[in-house]
Amino acid sequence: MREKVADAQMSMEGGLNETSTEAMVLPNQLRRANNARLTEFGAVKKRGGLQRTNSSALSAGNEIQNGFTWRQDGGINQPMVVSNGTLFTSVYGSFPWTWTSRTGTLSTTEVPSFAQFRDAGGNDVVYIADGGLLNKWNGTSLTTNIASTANSKVITVHNQRLWSCGDSTYPDSIFYSALNNGDTLGNSSSSGGQIIVRTFGDEEIVGLASINTSLLIFHDRGISRLSGYGQDDITVAPTGVTADVGTIAPNAIVPYDNTAYFITERGLYRCNEADVAPVGSAQTPDPILPIIRSLSSSQFANIRAVLNRGTKELWITVPNYGCYIYNTVLNAWSGPWDTGWISPNTTTMFETLNSSGLPVILRGDANSFVSECDLDTVFKDNVLADGTGGERITMTVQLHRLYCNDDALAKSARWGYLTASLRGSDQCRVEWSTGEETGSFTLPVSYDETWGASGTVWGTGVWGGSGSQSYRIPMGGNGYYFDVTVIDSGEAVPTLSRFQLEAFALGRR
């Protein structure tokens, strides 16, 4: 009788590793994780869909340049975007949303930068930088080109001052406002000013981030900082953090938990006030690094990133490639998310709060639509604001290569066992390949395991809580290894927990 051999993928928490050789992929890693995300308990889950908030394009033929949510002192949250130089504002609510165009013209070519702060009258406002003089939205009117302010492309708030960079006349300078008065940005006659930063020579400044007690200053190559704890003790002599790496993607700098994540020509990095390090390692390679190496400088500059605070994930979009997801808890990757994320291309991402006050991500695209992302109740992309239309999402999860502990031993597959919660998906299948033979098995439609029995019905629906069940898959084919892939294109959000392979040993090479 043939000897039984087995192999398994007992968890997925190692995330995506599409760079290492097959033999170096860890037992908890995945070769593919398209349109999937990692869960904190070691499984992988299909992402939610995209639904447009506006019924028609905000500015036909133009892209959404950038977006921001103003969390007003009165408790109202106001999402806002700029398209073709026009500011549009809205309020989170039922689809479709009402987007109102505001009087006033901003740059049609620059990516605007937003910062909530105080103006000369002590009012809570949103400042908007678009490469020229500073602009301001107060909830009623848009004031453009505030007199005597600095030309700015990027703005941020640090220690009760508004800071900026991006003046083409002074590319190596940052500008600051008086305390609690953004109207004075760069105006030396009103307690604002300019600081020349030549920590590493005449390096252009492209981005800013407030991290703990320091203002981090990002150059094309290098990172400097200004330090200080209180309102008036900012050290005006910049010091160096690193001369080794910087960024040319100012819209992919994301502060989180006293750390700044940013994109370099070497992939995703993180830094604080003193240390800079790559996120990727030999065991968990950065999946966007091979892509970055093929990008032009203009494509690199179009990379966007945002933090999903609800899931503790960093979302990074690369034009034409999709959105890669870095789980900051597991320190592991998934993605790319494609389909509606690349058709049309994503041009901005920003956070807002839903009706329950929970953080969600909005996405602007190249066709001037704003969509809510990752909706668990929406199973397609580019769903119209009235809930119709859209394209199905296909999740593709390929496990690490299964050798049954011996890559020189030929095996014959017998059974596979997939533990999953399909949640009613009607299009989920398991495929496998040995390099010489292939096979496929479509899983039966199933609902969450519930009280009484799997799929127990109470009234008009499935009654009970969510759970998983094991599916036995008749497999076949001979080979030295098995590459197993789970593909789901149903209108559901299934979760995959583990896979076990049972085979017979045939003989050695």
Side-chain angles (χ1 to χ4, degrees):
M1 184 175 180
R2 296 284 187 183
E3 176 190 2
K4 289 183 179 180
V5 293
D7 206 340
Q9 176 118 13
M10 299 304 291
S11 75
M12 322 276 186
E13 63 186 7
L16 178 66
N17 182 350
E18 57 186 4
T19 305
S20 299
T21 61
E22 297 289 355
M24 296 301 293
V25 177
L26 300 178
N28 66 349
Q29 290 182 330
L30 303 168
R31 277 312 244 179
R32 295 184 67 186
N34 295 49
N35 294 311
R37 64 145 42 87
L38 305 176
T39 70
E40 293 184 18
F41 54 87
V44 65
K45 179 181 177 182
K46 189 176 182 179
R47 68 168 174 91
L50 298 169
Q51 183 168 357
R52 295 173 176 175
T53 63
N54 42 317
S55 299
S56 58
L58 295 183
S59 179
N62 299 287
E63 66 180 35
I64 301 295
Q65 294 167 251
N66 206 356
F68 180 76
T69 295
W70 181 15
R71 300 180 184 180
Q72 301 177 31
D73 287 348
I76 297 174
N77 298 298
Q78 185 179 70
M80 60 185 68
V81 298
V82 175
S83 182
N84 195 34
T86 298
L87 178 68
F88 296 85
T89 63
S90 189
V91 176
Y92 189 96
S94 301
F95 295 95
W97 298 6
T98 298
W99 287 91
T100 304
S101 61
R102 302 299 179 174
T103 302
T105 302
L106 302 168
S107 171
T108 60
T109 55
E110 289 290 342
V111 176
S113 176
F114 303 85
Q116 182 174 346
F117 198 46
R118 298 285 173 181
D119 68 4
N123 303 300
D124 179 28
V125 300
V126 175
Y127 287 100
I128 306 172
D130 65 350
L133 302 181
L134 195 61
N135 311 285
K136 177 175 66 175
W137 168 249
N138 65 6
T140 303
S141 60
L142 175 64
T143 302
T144 59
N145 300 321
I146 300 173
S148 302
T149 56
N151 293 327
S152 306
K153 291 183 179 179
V154 176
I155 52 177
T156 193
V157 174
H158 177 69
N159 277 358
Q160 299 190 45
R161 297 181 190 269
L162 186 65
W163 297 80
S164 77
C165 66
D167 189 325
S168 59
T169 305
Y170 306 101
D172 58 355
S173 293
I174 59 174
F175 298 86
Y176 60 90
S177 73
L179 291 171
N180 298 307
N181 183 1
D183 291 353
T184 62
L185 178 67
N187 188 343
S188 58
S189 64
S190 300
S191 300
Q194 172 184 1
I195 299 173
I196 298 174
V197 183
R198 292 178 178 162
T199 317
F200 307 112
D202 193 18
E203 285 284 350
E204 180 179 1
I205 299 169
V206 297
L208 303 169
S210 178
I211 300 297
N212 202 1
T213 63
S214 293
L215 178 68
L216 296 185
I217 304 164
F218 291 82
H219 309 270
D220 286 338
R221 183 173 295 279
I223 303 172
S224 305
R225 73 179 180 119
L226 295 180
S227 61
Y229 287 89
Q231 299 174 359
D232 299 314
D233 67 342
I234 292 290
T235 301
V236 296
T239 57
V241 178
T242 179
D244 191 40
V245 292
T247 186
I248 57 171
N251 295 293
I253 300 172
V254 180
Y256 174 55
D257 197 20
N258 289 328
T259 299
Y261 289 91
F262 62 103
I263 304 295
T264 78
E265 71 276 11
R266 304 180 195 174
L268 180 63
Y269 269 61
R270 56 187 160 206
C271 69
N272 54 28
E273 297 174 287
D275 299 310
V276 180
V279 166
S281 67
Q283 286 192 323
T284 56
D286 184 341
I288 66 174
L289 179 55
I291 297 172
I292 285 174
R293 288 170 175 162
S294 67
L295 298 181
S296 67
S297 59
S298 61
Q299 291 172 323
F300 193 109
N302 286 328
I303 295 175
R304 301 288 184 264
V306 70
L307 177 74
N308 185 332
R309 293 188 300 119
T311 57
K312 300 179 182 178
E313 296 167 330
L314 188 68
W315 295 8
I316 303 168
T317 62
V318 183
N320 302 318
Y321 288 90
C323 186
Y324 284 86
I325 309 301
Y326 176 72
N327 188 302
T328 63
V329 175
L330 300 175
N331 293 317
W333 294 85
S334 60
W337 295 359
D338 45 36
T339 315
W341 284 85
I342 59 175
S343 180
N345 259 325
T346 301
T347 56
T348 185
M349 298 180 292
F350 62 101
E351 180 188 279
T352 194
L353 300 179
N354 64 18
S355 300
S356 301
L358 300 176
V360 295
I361 302 300
L362 298 180
R363 163 192 177 268
D365 66 36
N367 289 349
S368 204
F369 285 94
V370 180
S371 300
E372 185 171 352
C373 305
D374 196 35
L375 288 158
D376 260 346
T377 55
V378 174
F379 309 119
K380 297 179 179 180
D381 280 350
N382 294 326
V383 173
L384 302 181
D386 64 4
T388 63
E391 301 94 38
R392 284 200 178 199
I393 303 162
T394 299
M395 175 180 72
T396 304
V397 175
Q398 182 179 337
L399 312 182
H400 77 280
R401 181 165 286 179
L402 302 175
Y403 290 103
C404 297
N405 300 314
D406 191 339
D407 61 359
L409 179 69
K411 280 82 63 173
S412 177
R414 184 187 184 196
W415 296 105
Y417 299 91
L418 175 67
T419 303
S421 174
L422 297 187
R423 299 186 178 182
S425 175
D426 61 348
Q427 293 188 26
C428 187
R429 67 185 187 274
V430 178
E431 297 182 350
W432 59 92
S433 170
T434 68
E436 298 177 0
E437 300 181 55
T438 61
S440 177
F441 179 79
T442 299
L443 300 178
V445 179
S446 176
Y447 297 88
D448 291 334
E449 193 174 284
T450 58
W451 182 86
S454 176
T456 298
V457 176
W458 182 272
T460 59
V462 178
W463 183 85
S466 63
S468 296
Q469 62 185 52
S470 183
Y471 297 87
R472 189 167 77 159
I473 301 157
M475 297 179 65
N478 301 335
Y480 292 96
Y481 63 83
F482 297 91
D483 287 334
V484 177
T485 303
V486 182
I487 301 170
D488 182 275
S489 55
E491 293 190 38
V493 182
T495 300
L496 313 178
S497 299
R498 64 175 62 92
F499 181 87
Q500 301 175 75
L501 171 68
E502 182 181 295
F504 289 116
L506 298 179
R508 303 186 66 78
R509 295 180 189 267

Tab-separated table of all heavy atoms in Angstrom, residues 332-369:
chain	number	residue	atom	x	y	z
A	332	ALA	N	2.549	42.450	7.200
A	332	ALA	CA	2.442	41.571	6.033
A	332	ALA	C	1.566	42.242	4.982
A	332	ALA	O	0.779	43.149	5.279
A	332	ALA	CB	1.859	40.220	6.436
A	333	TRP	N	1.698	41.756	3.732
A	333	TRP	CA	1.066	42.381	2.575
A	333	TRP	C	-0.053	41.530	1.990
A	333	TRP	O	-0.071	40.300	2.156
A	333	TRP	CB	2.098	42.585	1.476
A	333	TRP	CG	3.193	43.555	1.764
A	333	TRP	CD1	4.366	43.300	2.429
A	333	TRP	CD2	3.240	44.936	1.386
A	333	TRP	NE1	5.131	44.434	2.476
A	333	TRP	CE2	4.469	45.453	1.840
A	333	TRP	CE3	2.365	45.769	0.692
A	333	TRP	CZ2	4.847	46.768	1.632
A	333	TRP	CZ3	2.727	47.085	0.474
A	333	TRP	CH2	3.953	47.576	0.951
A	334	SER	N	-0.944	42.186	1.248
A	334	SER	CA	-1.883	41.505	0.363
A	334	SER	C	-2.140	42.425	-0.829
A	334	SER	O	-1.691	43.562	-0.860
A	334	SER	CB	-3.190	41.154	1.082
A	334	SER	OG	-3.818	42.332	1.571
A	335	GLY	N	-2.873	41.915	-1.810
A	335	GLY	CA	-3.130	42.700	-3.017
A	335	GLY	C	-2.412	42.094	-4.224
A	335	GLY	O	-1.822	41.020	-4.133
A	336	PRO	N	-2.503	42.780	-5.354
A	336	PRO	CA	-3.169	44.074	-5.510
A	336	PRO	C	-4.680	43.945	-5.622
A	336	PRO	O	-5.206	42.902	-5.993
A	336	PRO	CB	-2.576	44.602	-6.814
A	336	PRO	CG	-2.308	43.359	-7.622
A	336	PRO	CD	-1.863	42.325	-6.619
A	337	TRP	N	-5.360	45.046	-5.261
A	337	TRP	CA	-6.773	45.182	-5.564
A	337	TRP	C	-6.856	45.846	-6.936
A	337	TRP	O	-6.322	46.937	-7.142
A	337	TRP	CB	-7.462	46.047	-4.521
A	337	TRP	CG	-7.463	45.441	-3.137
A	337	TRP	CD1	-6.948	44.245	-2.758
A	337	TRP	CD2	-8.013	46.030	-1.945
A	337	TRP	NE1	-7.136	44.020	-1.411
A	337	TRP	CE2	-7.792	45.116	-0.880
A	337	TRP	CE3	-8.669	47.229	-1.681
A	337	TRP	CZ2	-8.205	45.379	0.421
A	337	TRP	CZ3	-9.081	47.491	-0.378
A	337	TRP	CH2	-8.853	46.572	0.658
A	338	ASP	N	-7.509	45.184	-7.868
A	338	ASP	CA	-7.537	45.732	-9.223
A	338	ASP	C	-8.983	46.021	-9.631
A	338	ASP	O	-9.685	46.728	-8.926
A	338	ASP	CB	-6.828	44.795	-10.206
A	338	ASP	CG	-7.213	43.331	-10.037
A	338	ASP	OD1	-8.387	43.054	-9.733
A	338	ASP	OD2	-6.355	42.455	-10.234
A	339	THR	N	-9.434	45.554	-10.748
A	339	THR	CA	-10.788	45.796	-11.271
A	339	THR	C	-11.081	47.300	-11.230
A	339	THR	O	-10.476	48.066	-11.950
A	339	THR	CB	-11.839	44.975	-10.503
A	339	THR	OG1	-11.360	43.630	-10.326
A	339	THR	CG2	-13.150	44.905	-11.274
A	340	GLY	N	-11.986	47.752	-10.367
A	340	GLY	CA	-12.356	49.160	-10.330
A	340	GLY	C	-11.276	50.084	-9.814
A	340	GLY	O	-11.358	51.300	-9.987
A	341	TRP	N	-10.245	49.531	-9.184
A	341	TRP	CA	-9.155	50.360	-8.672
A	341	TRP	C	-8.238	50.846	-9.786
A	341	TRP	O	-7.493	51.810	-9.595
A	341	TRP	CB	-8.349	49.592	-7.619
A	341	TRP	CG	-9.076	49.510	-6.311
A	341	TRP	CD1	-10.007	48.597	-5.939
A	341	TRP	CD2	-8.943	50.416	-5.212
A	341	TRP	NE1	-10.466	48.857	-4.678
A	341	TRP	CE2	-9.820	49.963	-4.198
A	341	TRP	CE3	-8.156	51.536	-4.974
A	341	TRP	CZ2	-9.951	50.613	-2.969
A	341	TRP	CZ3	-8.275	52.186	-3.746
A	341	TRP	CH2	-9.161	51.726	-2.770
A	342	ILE	N	-8.261	50.165	-10.925
A	342	ILE	CA	-7.413	50.586	-12.048
A	342	ILE	C	-8.219	50.942	-13.289
A	342	ILE	O	-7.648	51.402	-14.272
A	342	ILE	CB	-6.370	49.500	-12.405
A	342	ILE	CG1	-7.051	48.189	-12.792
A	342	ILE	CG2	-5.405	49.290	-11.263
A	342	ILE	CD1	-6.082	47.116	-13.267
A	343	SER	N	-9.526	50.740	-13.237
A	343	SER	CA	-10.364	51.084	-14.387
A	343	SER	C	-11.660	51.715	-13.880
A	343	SER	O	-12.635	51.006	-13.603
A	343	SER	CB	-10.662	49.841	-15.230
A	343	SER	OG	-11.463	50.175	-16.343
A	344	PRO	N	-11.671	53.053	-13.705
A	344	PRO	CA	-10.583	53.999	-14.002
A	344	PRO	C	-9.536	54.026	-12.893
A	344	PRO	O	-9.784	53.560	-11.783
A	344	PRO	CB	-11.319	55.341	-14.080
A	344	PRO	CG	-12.479	55.168	-13.140
A	344	PRO	CD	-12.913	53.733	-13.274
A	345	ASN	N	-8.365	54.591	-13.215
A	345	ASN	CA	-7.274	54.654	-12.255
A	345	ASN	C	-7.646	55.485	-11.035
A	345	ASN	O	-8.411	56.448	-11.113
A	345	ASN	CB	-6.025	55.250	-12.904
A	345	ASN	CG	-5.018	54.187	-13.293
A	345	ASN	OD1	-4.867	53.174	-12.615
A	345	ASN	ND2	-4.329	54.406	-14.395
A	346	THR	N	-7.073	55.104	-9.900
A	346	THR	CA	-7.250	55.841	-8.658
A	346	THR	C	-6.341	57.067	-8.663
A	346	THR	O	-5.149	56.952	-8.934
A	346	THR	CB	-6.921	54.950	-7.457
A	346	THR	OG1	-7.771	53.804	-7.475
A	346	THR	CG2	-7.090	55.700	-6.148
A	347	THR	N	-6.892	58.237	-8.347
A	347	THR	CA	-6.099	59.464	-8.321
A	347	THR	C	-5.939	60.040	-6.923
A	347	THR	O	-5.065	60.871	-6.691
A	347	THR	CB	-6.717	60.536	-9.228
A	347	THR	OG1	-8.082	60.769	-8.830
A	347	THR	CG2	-6.686	60.074	-10.694
A	348	THR	N	-6.773	59.608	-5.983
A	348	THR	CA	-6.628	60.048	-4.602
A	348	THR	C	-7.375	59.106	-3.679
A	348	THR	O	-8.323	58.419	-4.099
A	348	THR	CB	-7.145	61.484	-4.393
A	348	THR	OG1	-6.864	61.902	-3.053
A	348	THR	CG2	-8.639	61.571	-4.614
A	349	MET	N	-6.967	59.060	-2.407
A	349	MET	CA	-7.678	58.348	-1.351
A	349	MET	C	-7.631	59.216	-0.107
A	349	MET	O	-6.606	59.836	0.188
A	349	MET	CB	-7.044	56.989	-1.059
A	349	MET	CG	-7.033	56.007	-2.204
A	349	MET	SD	-6.258	54.424	-1.730
A	349	MET	CE	-4.532	54.945	-1.519
A	350	PHE	N	-8.727	59.242	0.635
A	350	PHE	CA	-8.725	59.990	1.888
A	350	PHE	C	-9.786	59.429	2.818
A	350	PHE	O	-10.723	58.759	2.394
A	350	PHE	CB	-8.932	61.490	1.646
A	350	PHE	CG	-10.242	61.863	1.011
A	350	PHE	CD1	-11.289	62.368	1.774
A	350	PHE	CD2	-10.437	61.728	-0.363
A	350	PHE	CE1	-12.496	62.715	1.190
A	350	PHE	CE2	-11.645	62.093	-0.960
A	350	PHE	CZ	-12.680	62.576	-0.172
A	351	GLU	N	-9.621	59.713	4.100
A	351	GLU	CA	-10.518	59.173	5.112
A	351	GLU	C	-11.684	60.096	5.374
A	351	GLU	O	-11.557	61.323	5.324
A	351	GLU	CB	-9.745	58.966	6.417
A	351	GLU	CG	-10.581	58.397	7.561
A	351	GLU	CD	-9.842	58.384	8.883
A	351	GLU	OE1	-9.036	57.455	9.101
A	351	GLU	OE2	-10.059	59.305	9.695
A	352	THR	N	-12.848	59.512	5.655
A	352	THR	CA	-13.974	60.246	6.194
A	352	THR	C	-14.610	59.366	7.267
A	352	THR	O	-14.122	58.275	7.565
A	352	THR	CB	-14.976	60.638	5.093
A	352	THR	OG1	-15.874	61.622	5.613
A	352	THR	CG2	-15.760	59.439	4.588
A	353	LEU	N	-15.694	59.852	7.863
A	353	LEU	CA	-16.406	59.084	8.879
A	353	LEU	C	-17.800	58.759	8.360
A	353	LEU	O	-18.470	59.609	7.765
A	353	LEU	CB	-16.506	59.869	10.190
A	353	LEU	CG	-15.185	60.255	10.851
A	353	LEU	CD1	-15.446	61.040	12.134
A	353	LEU	CD2	-14.339	59.028	11.153
A	354	ASN	N	-18.255	57.525	8.601
A	354	ASN	CA	-19.585	57.138	8.157
A	354	ASN	C	-20.640	57.611	9.160
A	354	ASN	O	-20.334	58.322	10.130
A	354	ASN	CB	-19.667	55.634	7.885
A	354	ASN	CG	-19.454	54.801	9.148
A	354	ASN	OD1	-19.558	55.288	10.278
A	354	ASN	ND2	-19.165	53.521	8.959
A	355	SER	N	-21.862	57.209	8.954
A	355	SER	CA	-22.959	57.685	9.793
A	355	SER	C	-22.830	57.232	11.240
A	355	SER	O	-23.433	57.836	12.146
A	355	SER	CB	-24.297	57.205	9.209
A	355	SER	OG	-24.475	57.701	7.899
A	356	SER	N	-22.056	56.185	11.472
A	356	SER	CA	-21.819	55.692	12.837
A	356	SER	C	-20.575	56.297	13.469
A	356	SER	O	-20.201	55.926	14.582
A	356	SER	CB	-21.699	54.165	12.817
A	356	SER	OG	-22.867	53.563	12.303
A	357	GLY	N	-19.916	57.202	12.746
A	357	GLY	CA	-18.707	57.825	13.258
A	357	GLY	C	-17.470	56.974	13.106
A	357	GLY	O	-16.438	57.268	13.726
A	358	LEU	N	-17.537	55.936	12.273
A	358	LEU	CA	-16.400	55.050	12.069
A	358	LEU	C	-15.634	55.454	10.812
A	358	LEU	O	-16.229	55.915	9.838
A	358	LEU	CB	-16.877	53.598	11.940
A	358	LEU	CG	-17.622	53.036	13.150
A	358	LEU	CD1	-18.135	51.633	12.862
A	358	LEU	CD2	-16.731	53.041	14.389
A	359	PRO	N	-14.311	55.290	10.821
A	359	PRO	CA	-13.517	55.711	9.661
A	359	PRO	C	-13.728	54.802	8.458
A	359	PRO	O	-13.738	53.577	8.581
A	359	PRO	CB	-12.071	55.627	10.172
A	359	PRO	CG	-12.113	54.624	11.286
A	359	PRO	CD	-13.468	54.775	11.918
A	360	VAL	N	-13.910	55.423	7.295
A	360	VAL	CA	-13.989	54.712	6.013
A	360	VAL	C	-13.146	55.490	5.020
A	360	VAL	O	-12.782	56.646	5.253
A	360	VAL	CB	-15.438	54.576	5.504
A	360	VAL	CG1	-16.258	53.706	6.436
A	360	VAL	CG2	-16.088	55.946	5.338
A	361	ILE	N	-12.824	54.842	3.906
A	361	ILE	CA	-11.969	55.458	2.895
A	361	ILE	C	-12.792	55.816	1.662
A	361	ILE	O	-13.593	55.017	1.168
A	361	ILE	CB	-10.817	54.517	2.502
A	361	ILE	CG1	-9.985	54.143	3.735
A	361	ILE	CG2	-9.920	55.172	1.443
A	361	ILE	CD1	-9.346	55.304	4.446
A	362	LEU	N	-12.569	57.045	1.181
A	362	LEU	CA	-13.136	57.483	-0.084
A	362	LEU	C	-12.033	57.521	-1.128
A	362	LEU	O	-10.874	57.792	-0.810
A	362	LEU	CB	-13.778	58.863	0.046
A	362	LEU	CG	-14.958	58.994	1.013
A	362	LEU	CD1	-15.474	60.429	1.024
A	362	LEU	CD2	-16.073	58.024	0.651
A	363	ARG	N	-12.412	57.263	-2.365
A	363	ARG	CA	-11.459	57.182	-3.472
A	363	ARG	C	-11.935	58.071	-4.612
A	363	ARG	O	-13.098	58.017	-5.009
A	363	ARG	CB	-11.361	55.723	-3.946
A	363	ARG	CG	-10.753	55.501	-5.318
A	363	ARG	CD	-10.978	54.072	-5.771
A	363	ARG	NE	-10.464	53.838	-7.111
A	363	ARG	CZ	-11.178	53.971	-8.231
A	363	ARG	NH1	-12.438	54.347	-8.164
A	363	ARG	NH2	-10.625	53.729	-9.411
A	364	GLY	N	-11.035	58.898	-5.119
A	364	GLY	CA	-11.320	59.672	-6.313
A	364	GLY	C	-10.653	59.018	-7.504
A	364	GLY	O	-9.590	58.403	-7.375
A	365	ASP	N	-11.265	59.151	-8.687
A	365	ASP	CA	-10.702	58.455	-9.840
A	365	ASP	C	-10.492	59.389	-11.022
A	365	ASP	O	-10.814	60.584	-10.982
A	365	ASP	CB	-11.560	57.244	-10.219
A	365	ASP	CG	-12.951	57.598	-10.728
A	365	ASP	OD1	-13.100	58.618	-11.425
A	365	ASP	OD2	-13.906	56.848	-10.438
A	366	ALA	N	-9.968	58.828	-12.083
A	366	ALA	CA	-9.601	59.606	-13.260
A	366	ALA	C	-10.807	60.083	-14.049
A	366	ALA	O	-10.664	60.930	-14.929
A	366	ALA	CB	-8.687	58.769	-14.168
A	367	ASN	N	-12.007	59.567	-13.733
A	367	ASN	CA	-13.223	59.979	-14.423
A	367	ASN	C	-14.066	60.943	-13.601
A	367	ASN	O	-15.236	61.175	-13.917
A	367	ASN	CB	-14.062	58.763	-14.816
A	367	ASN	CG	-13.425	57.962	-15.936
A	367	ASN	OD1	-12.459	58.400	-16.561
A	367	ASN	ND2	-13.959	56.777	-16.194
A	368	SER	N	-13.505	61.473	-12.526
A	368	SER	CA	-14.157	62.475	-11.683
A	368	SER	C	-15.310	61.915	-10.856
A	368	SER	O	-16.279	62.623	-10.562
A	368	SER	CB	-14.629	63.680	-12.519
A	368	SER	OG	-14.748	64.830	-11.724
A	369	PHE	N	-15.188	60.637	-10.458
A	369	PHE	CA	-16.138	60.057	-9.519
A	369	PHE	C	-15.464	59.865	-8.168
A	369	PHE	O	-14.254	59.611	-8.085
A	369	PHE	CB	-16.672	58.718	-10.025
A	369	PHE	CG	-17.685	58.854	-11.130
A	369	PHE	CD1	-17.289	58.787	-12.461
A	369	PHE	CD2	-19.027	59.048	-10.841
A	369	PHE	CE1	-18.216	58.918	-13.485
A	369	PHE	CE2	-19.961	59.177	-11.864
A	369	PHE	CZ	-19.558	59.114	-13.188
